[in-house]
Every structure is written in structure tokens, then in C-alpha cells.
Amino acid sequence: MNGFTYLSPTEVVFGKDTQDRTGEYVRRYGGSRVLLVYGGGSVVRSGLLARIRQVLEQEGLCCAEFGGAKANPTLEHAREGVRAALEHQADFILGVGGGSAIDTAKAIAIGAADPDDDIWDFWTRRKIPQKALPTGAVLTIPAAGSETSNSSVLTNTASGSKRGLSSDLNRPRFAIMNPELTFTLPVYQVACGVTDIMMHTLDRYFNPTDNEMTDAIAEALLRTVITYGRIAVKDPQDYEAMSELMWAGSLSHNGLTGLGGPGDFAVHQLGHELSAMFDTAHGASLATVWGSWALAVYEAKPSRFARYARNVWGLSGADEKELALAGIQATVDYFASLGMPTSFGKNQDIGIQPEEVLRDLAFRCTFQRTRTIGTFRVLDEEAIYEIYKRADH
């Protein structure tokens, strides 16, 4: 096991009616003037936003609202949020919703703490953030894991680029997690969430290093998500299923399932370019390319994929290569069973693309030929192109 530093300071408040304690937790972590950040309106229609505001005001907290977070959060909207936070003189940013609202809240928190710098400079690594306002999360979608993670992803719509910032400044002080708040989710959104949770662990699990304890945790999480994901897409109001998925989503992205190994995250990088170019849903973008990525890299270490097939899917066989391929196919079939696209042609946002688009995607994925991606197998521009090409059917 490689050396590592593990920090997971977010206080998780899990269970029914926990949203009614939001004011208590904002005040506990120093908030007095709160900017409520939310998305497209589902939290308004359900009455959740009004309830959150009520409990905050009952705690004596001053509130302002900032809605409109996109499914793929945008830089432009986050900049508007920074201005809103400054105008309100906010000292606490509260994301109410899924990963898009929470990622936007994190960006606003960094921007409002350092208004003299443009937040995109931090997301493009030109500058390193030194401070952020405290954030909290009221989670309504088990998916991104942003409620306990150190990351935030933004899309610059002007340049068509998508970037993530990993910094412990991004970690929320607390996460309110009531599985009942997920009950109004459309099935497609549930399926996207299941895929995203799995991918946060798969992108850590498939790395060159074997770490028994970490690997066993990752495998247990994957088995849990596979089991309860099947239930949740049939009945999104199954409390047990949504409870398991909500907790798995947090564990999948707080760093636990990748300790001691160099995370790969190539699939996330490949998927980010699809979301940036086609605005496809994040989970769907990952399912679109995972199978093609796996087939391109598994021969770097077939034993790793064979272990995955045995311990996650319960498959058996003496030939490691055949077992590895069976595990890959089982995963692709599972995504398809959830209604997720597993190729460009099956993704309603994308469709079959000409070669020049695939070449452009690969060029963008390398940040204009300034980086490679992946650790399980390092991928350059040509290898990335071949994966997109394989997925283009």
C-alpha cells in the first residue's frame, strides 16, 4: 500500500426528517448569513426549499436564495453566485439538491472568500485557493458524492471545457442526508446516480496497486450499489434501497475506496468531454465510455479485472483473460439494464459522430496535448481517440 493522507471531516446527519436540523448545524459551524444554492426548481416544487428556509430563520439566520444550478454546473452561473453571496454578505453557503447544486455552492464559497480572483483560475490550476467560506449540503440525489468529497466540477460554456478542482477547502462542514428527500426523482436520474456512484469507486479500484483492505471495501460498496440500484430504478420510493445508495454515494467519493493506490479516473476524464461538448448527463456519459475504456486497458493487468469479476459479480473461471472480459460484459449489461447508454449511438444526447469530432474530443481530453490520463494504463491522445472510436457505435 502506498502512503496516503486521509481526511473526511464532513459531519453526516443521516435519517428521516434530518433536514429540520439544518439551522442548528449552520449555526454550529459559524453561519449567520446564509446563501441557499439550488437547481432547477424541484426543491421549490416539493416545498423543501421553503422548509429549509423556515428552519434557518427559526434559528435566527438571515437567508438569501440563488437558484438555477445546471445539471452540469457552469462557471458562468457560479460567477453570478459569487456576486450574489457578496451582495448578501454571506458567511455560509448551503447547497440544497444534488451534486450540481453542491458543486456550485463550493465554487461560490471559494469565489466569495477571494473576490479579487476569478474562480476559473483555481479550476484551471493557474492559482491555488487559500480560503473558502464554510459550506453545508442538504442532499436530495444519491449520485455525485459531493456532499462529503473534496471536489467540485464546473463547465466553462464559453470555451467548451470542463474542469474539476480537488481541495480540502471544498469539503462541506456537514451533510444532511434524508433518503426520503430522493423519493421524487425520475427513474433516469436515479439510474444516472447509480452509475456515478459505481464509477467513483471503479475509477479508484482499477489502479496498478493491490491493497486488500481498500479493495475489499470497494468491492463491498460495488456489490451493494448493484443490488440496490436494481431495486431503486423499479421503485425510487423504496426507503431501504435509497438509504443504501445515499450512504454508498458519500463513501464512494470521500476518498475511502481508493486509499493506498493512485486513482485512475480516465473514465471521468473521457466522460467530462462528452458532457462539455454535448451537455449529456454525467452518469450517462460515464456509462457511454466505460466498456470501451475497459476493453482498451484490461490487458495491462488482467488479474485485476478477473478479481473484480469474481468478487463483485460472483463469476468464476480459470482463465483470467476470459474472466476479465466476462466481468467487463457484466458491467456493461448492468448499465444497460438501468437504461443507461453504453455507446455513442445509444446516448440520446450524442449519437454517432464523424471522425473529426472524435479527434477533437481526444484533443480536448488531453487539454490540448498537455497531459495524459489514467494510471491503470496511461493514455495519450491516440489511445483516447481509439476509445472514443470504439464507443462510437
Side-chain angles (χ1 to χ4, degrees):
M1 181 177 286
N2 295 331
F4 61 83
T5 299
Y6 181 56
L7 175 70
S8 187
T10 303
E11 185 169 358
V12 174
V13 188
F14 192 101
K16 295 182 179 181
D17 300 323
T18 46
Q19 69 273 17
D20 291 339
R21 301 182 65 189
T22 306
E24 167 194 342
Y25 277 90
V26 170
R27 184 167 289 286
R28 177 181 299 184
Y29 287 101
S32 61
R33 300 184 64 82
V34 185
L35 184 69
L36 290 165
V37 179
Y38 61 98
S42 62
V43 297
V44 176
R45 293 188 297 272
S46 69
L48 176 62
L49 189 70
R51 179 58 182 159
I52 295 297
R53 181 159 191 157
Q54 180 184 36
V55 299
L56 293 176
E57 291 175 344
Q58 286 173 347
E59 197 69 28
L61 305 172
C62 181
C63 302
E65 298 175 8
F66 181 70
K70 312 296 184 188
N72 289 302
T74 69
L75 167 66
E76 294 79 3
H77 186 252
R79 284 172 173 157
E80 292 177 19
V82 171
R83 290 191 288 271
L86 294 172
E87 181 178 334
H88 181 58
Q89 297 182 309
D91 58 13
F92 198 97
I93 312 298
L94 182 66
V96 182
S100 57
I102 300 169
D103 276 15
T104 302
K106 292 175 177 181
I108 293 170
I110 286 178
D114 190 0
D116 293 332
D117 288 312
D118 182 63
I119 53 177
W120 194 239
D121 287 339
F122 300 128
W123 265 251
T124 54
R125 310 295 195 275
R126 286 193 284 269
K127 295 180 179 179
I128 299 174
Q130 301 297 325
K131 54 188 174 180
L133 297 182
T135 62
V138 180
L139 185 65
T140 63
I141 304 172
S146 188
E147 67 278 1
T148 57
S149 82
N150 71 346
S151 67
S152 170
V153 178
L154 294 176
T155 297
N156 183 333
T157 57
S159 65
S161 54
K162 190 170 184 177
R163 298 288 186 271
L165 172 67
S166 295
S167 166
D168 285 327
L169 293 172
N170 276 330
R171 292 193 188 270
R173 298 296 200 276
F174 66 84
I176 301 290
M177 297 168 61
N178 174 4
E180 290 182 329
L181 299 182
T182 70
F183 284 0
T184 60
L185 289 174
V187 169
Y188 185 77
Q189 204 164 5
V190 173
C192 282
V194 170
T195 304
D196 197 14
I197 294 168
M198 288 183 63
M199 211 64 68
H200 281 143
T201 290
L202 290 172
D203 273 357
R204 291 176 168 93
Y205 180 84
F206 286 109
N207 73 79
T209 307
D210 295 325
N211 299 308
E212 183 57 40
M213 186 70 254
T214 297
D215 292 344
I217 293 171
E219 290 159 358
L221 188 147
L222 289 164
R223 291 193 301 268
T224 299
V225 175
I226 289 165
T227 297
Y228 287 100
R230 289 191 178 103
I231 297 170
V233 295
K234 293 178 181 177
D235 181 8
Q237 295 190 14
D238 186 298
Y239 184 86
E240 181 182 10
M242 299 310 286
S243 296
E244 296 288 349
L245 292 176
M246 184 173 266
W247 184 224
S250 289
L251 295 179
S252 74
H253 205 29
N254 71 1
L256 179 65
T257 59
L259 293 178
D264 183 89
F265 284 96
V267 175
H268 264 78
Q269 301 302 330
L270 293 162
H272 280 175
E273 297 310 318
L274 300 186
S275 293
M277 184 175 289
F278 302 105
D279 198 30
T280 190
H282 178 57
S285 76
L286 302 175
T288 296
V289 296
W290 188 86
S292 296
W293 167 83
L295 290 173
V297 306
Y298 82 97
E299 288 185 294
K301 192 175 182 181
S303 62
R304 188 65 167 168
F305 277 87
R307 171 178 173 142
Y308 167 70
R310 281 191 294 266
N311 293 357
V312 174
W313 292 105
L315 303 177
S316 60
D319 188 295
E320 284 196 333
K321 184 176 288 191
E322 289 181 2
L323 190 54
L325 290 171
I328 293 170
Q329 189 60 51
T331 309
V332 172
D333 290 345
Y334 180 74
F335 290 150
S337 75
L338 298 177
M340 288 288 94
T342 54
S343 67
F344 281 27
K346 294 176 182 177
N347 190 318
Q348 60 185 357
D349 298 321
I350 301 177
I352 304 300
Q353 294 296 320
E355 181 178 353
E356 57 265 27
V357 172
L358 303 181
R359 290 285 184 188
D360 188 40
L361 283 167
F363 177 69
R364 289 168 178 263
C365 193
T366 62
F367 292 175
Q368 294 74 46
R369 301 189 182 115
T370 62
R371 69 164 185 172
T372 56
I373 65 171
T375 59
F376 188 84
R377 177 191 158 197
V378 177
L379 304 172
D380 60 13
E381 183 180 1
E382 187 62 25
I384 293 167
Y385 163 73
E386 291 296 334
I387 290 172
Y388 283 134
K389 184 177 179 181
R390 187 193 293 267
D392 190 38
H393 65 273

